[in-house]
Amino acid sequence: MGAKLMALLSRTLCRGALVCVLLTVANGAVAAAIDMEKAALIKSVYLKNIAGHTTWPTDKVSDDQRPIVIGVLGGDPNGVISPMRERIEEDPRFLVEGRQLQLINLDASSIDPDGLATVLEGCHLLFLSEDGEGYWALIKPLIETMPIVTVSEYESFARQGGMIEYIIDRRAGKVRMIVNMVAVKRAGLVLSARLLGLKEAVILINDGEDAE
């Protein structure tokens, strides 16, 4: 990976400078023949900034000292979570709105539905990696009305009721986010206008729709 791009992404992860990285993507820093390692880093940046641009119900964030908890389902084969985990471990200033980030690995196959629901209630975001697709049918009935931002990189996630799906636009050489607004509103969440207004990176849909 080019040193300049790596440095930019590292600074962005530290500061949460959403617009900076999105403008970089829009201007072609990720070439049309997109490198998957670069794509994974950008997805990691997006995940942190999604956390920073979400408003949860008051009771979900009533404790100012409580970390923002991101549950992770799947083995993260594309390396989206690894850069974030490294930053959390290495940099105490790696915060979202003054709160620490906490990553927890979830094993849906080893927890009964009631126990899984209890664990999920403690999460602010849930990330399903590409190999976590098989868990969604189990998770969706438990989570769809909970104030938890669901994010995944598996195909058709947003159309199947997930909130935010990462896609790679190979023609343009960009990582984009498909946002299912019905799912977001159903869970009582608000995504900032700043995030949703980034037309180079965000595609808005409703349940069952395909992204154009």
Side-chain angles (χ1 to χ4, degrees):
M1 176 181 298
K4 291 183 179 179
L5 179 59
M6 185 62 194
L8 171 64
L9 289 170
S10 179
R11 292 196 301 271
T12 305
L13 278 168
C14 290
R15 297 196 300 263
L18 176 65
V19 174
C20 179
V21 74
L22 292 177
L23 287 176
T24 300
V25 175
N27 286 326
V30 181
I34 191 165
D35 180 276
M36 297 310 292
E37 185 179 358
K38 294 175 185 177
L41 281 168
I42 292 168
K43 291 175 184 178
S44 186
V45 171
Y46 283 173
L47 189 60
K48 180 176 187 288
N49 283 290
I50 289 166
H53 287 266
T54 298
T55 300
W56 284 273
T58 303
D59 58 350
K60 188 75 173 179
V61 289
S62 58
D63 183 354
D64 290 341
Q65 302 303 312
R66 184 185 175 193
I68 299 295
V69 179
I70 303 176
V72 180
L73 270 171
D76 191 29
N78 295 327
V80 175
I81 297 300
S82 298
M84 180 177 287
R85 193 181 304 279
E86 291 175 6
R87 297 302 306 183
I88 291 172
E89 293 174 353
E90 296 173 0
D91 189 353
R93 298 169 299 175
F94 188 68
L95 305 172
V96 170
E97 300 297 318
R99 296 172 182 263
Q100 293 182 330
L101 285 169
Q102 180 181 354
L103 296 170
I104 59 172
N105 293 319
L106 305 176
D107 183 359
S109 63
S110 65
I111 307 175
D112 64 81
D114 289 340
L116 182 57
T118 300
V119 173
L120 289 170
E121 284 176 355
C123 297
H124 296 86
L125 297 93
L126 177 67
F127 177 75
L128 286 83
S129 59
E130 191 173 55
D131 63 348
E133 178 177 0
Y135 294 121
W136 184 236
L138 171 65
I139 295 293
K140 183 182 176 183
L142 302 175
I143 202 174
E144 61 183 352
T145 59
M146 291 184 185
I148 301 170
V149 185
T150 56
V151 183
S152 186
E153 54 183 346
Y154 85 74
E155 187 175 355
S156 300
F157 177 69
R159 187 163 56 85
Q160 295 173 11
M163 293 184 194
I164 300 176
E165 175 188 340
Y166 293 145
I167 62 169
I168 295 178
D169 184 340
R170 296 184 183 277
R171 183 174 58 184
K174 298 173 183 177
V175 178
R176 299 185 188 273
M177 293 178 283
I178 302 174
V179 181
N180 181 339
M181 292 304 299
V182 170
V184 172
K185 293 175 182 177
R186 183 188 298 126
L189 299 168
V190 177
L191 301 180
S192 77
R194 185 183 179 192
L195 175 66
L196 297 179
L198 292 164
K199 298 187 183 301
E200 287 289 340
V202 174
I203 303 168
L204 302 180
I205 69 166
N206 293 313
D207 272 349
E209 292 182 349
D210 289 318
E212 296 182 356

